[in-house]
């Protein structure tokens, strides 16, 4: 990643980026990686998808068990989506177990270029702006790249345990803001 040649920004989802977001989703499908929650809505009705993300940020019309959250896209030159993140404003017991305050993913063809570290850094700035003082970020213990990204952003390993509910190992990191 050479920031002198490209403009990388973290933006809120926009209705005018339908083509870019759907191409981003298709890249995951080509790699046999699952779509994320609500991506099926994006394929059916993109304007509704963006509206539902905006509602989620306001805590409106959330499914049971969900907390208000903001969605962000890491974008190059205002046209290519490199990754996305979700910032949850509070934790439920399930999110404390797996998920934490921040989740993120990087375009499958843009990985190992520093974008993971950057999207987490920029999302942490958004968490600070919202008044959070520390955030929980989780990952699979075998995901060394994600663990390094979290640690590179100040993450301190709090626990590495088996989640009975989600039937998997989870590493939990706290980041002081």
């Amino acid at each position: 990643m050479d920031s002198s040649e490209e403009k990388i920004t973290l933006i809120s989802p926009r209705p005018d980026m339908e083509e870019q977001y759907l191409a981003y989703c298709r890249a995951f499908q080509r790699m046999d990686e699952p779509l994320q929650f609500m991506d099926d809505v994006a394929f059916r009705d993109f304007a509704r998808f963006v509206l539902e993300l905006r509602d989620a940020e306001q805590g409106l019309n959330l499914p049971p068990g969900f907390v208000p959250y903001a969605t962000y896209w890491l974008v190059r030159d205002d046209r290519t989506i490199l990754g996305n993140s979700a910032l949850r404003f509070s934790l439920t017991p399930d999110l404390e177990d797996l998920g934490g305050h921040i989740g993120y993913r990087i375009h499958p063809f843009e990985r190992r270029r520093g974008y993971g570290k950057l999207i987490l850094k920029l999302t942490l700035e958004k968490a600070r702006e919202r008044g959070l003082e520390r955030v929980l970020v989780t990952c699979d213990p075998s995901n060394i790249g994600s663990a390094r990204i979290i640690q590179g952003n100040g993450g301190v390993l709090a626990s590495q345990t088996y989640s009975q509910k989600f039937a998997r190992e989870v590493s939990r990191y706290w980041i002081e803001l």
Side-chain angles (χ1 to χ4, degrees):
M1 176 178 68
D2 183 355
S3 59
S4 66
E5 296 177 15
E6 47 188 24
K7 179 184 171 204
I8 309 292
T9 54
L10 193 67
I11 66 168
S12 294
R14 298 188 332 228
D16 66 316
M17 294 192 67
E18 178 176 4
E19 181 180 323
Q20 295 90 332
Y21 189 76
L22 297 182
Y24 174 74
C25 290
R26 287 187 192 102
F28 288 95
Q29 290 176 314
R30 282 195 300 275
M31 299 301 293
D32 290 324
E33 294 184 31
L35 291 177
Q36 290 186 310
F37 169 74
M38 286 191 35
D39 282 347
D40 59 324
V41 176
F43 279 99
R44 288 192 319 269
D45 185 344
F46 194 76
R48 180 175 149 224
F49 168 71
V50 172
L51 181 62
E52 287 186 21
L53 292 176
R54 289 181 182 166
D55 281 354
E57 191 166 353
Q58 302 302 316
L60 303 172
N61 305 314
L62 292 171
F66 274 63
V67 299
Y69 65 94
T71 299
Y72 302 104
W73 294 342
L74 186 69
V75 178
R76 176 177 48 228
D77 297 329
D78 206 34
R79 68 179 183 274
T80 303
I81 298 175
L82 302 170
N84 70 295
S85 65
L87 170 61
R88 299 168 197 98
F89 307 146
S90 62
L91 296 176
T92 63
D94 282 351
L95 288 172
E96 286 180 21
D97 191 27
L98 178 69
H101 286 97
I102 297 174
Y104 60 91
R105 71 177 180 168
I106 297 299
H107 190 296
F109 308 134
E110 300 287 353
R111 293 177 179 154
R112 293 182 171 75
R113 297 181 184 179
Y115 297 127
K117 188 172 183 180
L118 180 59
I119 197 168
L120 181 55
K121 175 186 175 206
L122 295 174
T123 306
L124 289 169
E125 290 174 9
K126 297 290 188 183
R128 250 184 237 103
E129 290 170 10
R130 290 207 174 258
L132 289 147
E133 296 178 0
R134 72 181 195 144
V135 297
L136 178 66
V137 184
T138 69
C139 71
D140 186 303
S142 66
N143 190 339
I144 304 303
S146 192
R148 287 184 179 147
I149 287 168
I150 297 165
Q151 292 165 357
N153 276 285
V156 176
L157 184 63
S159 68
Q160 190 170 18
T161 59
Y162 185 79
S163 166
Q164 293 294 329
K165 180 166 185 164
F166 297 102
R168 58 192 279 195
E169 293 286 327
V170 181
S171 293
R172 293 174 192 83
Y173 295 84
W174 283 100
I175 301 174
E176 299 294 329
L177 302 176

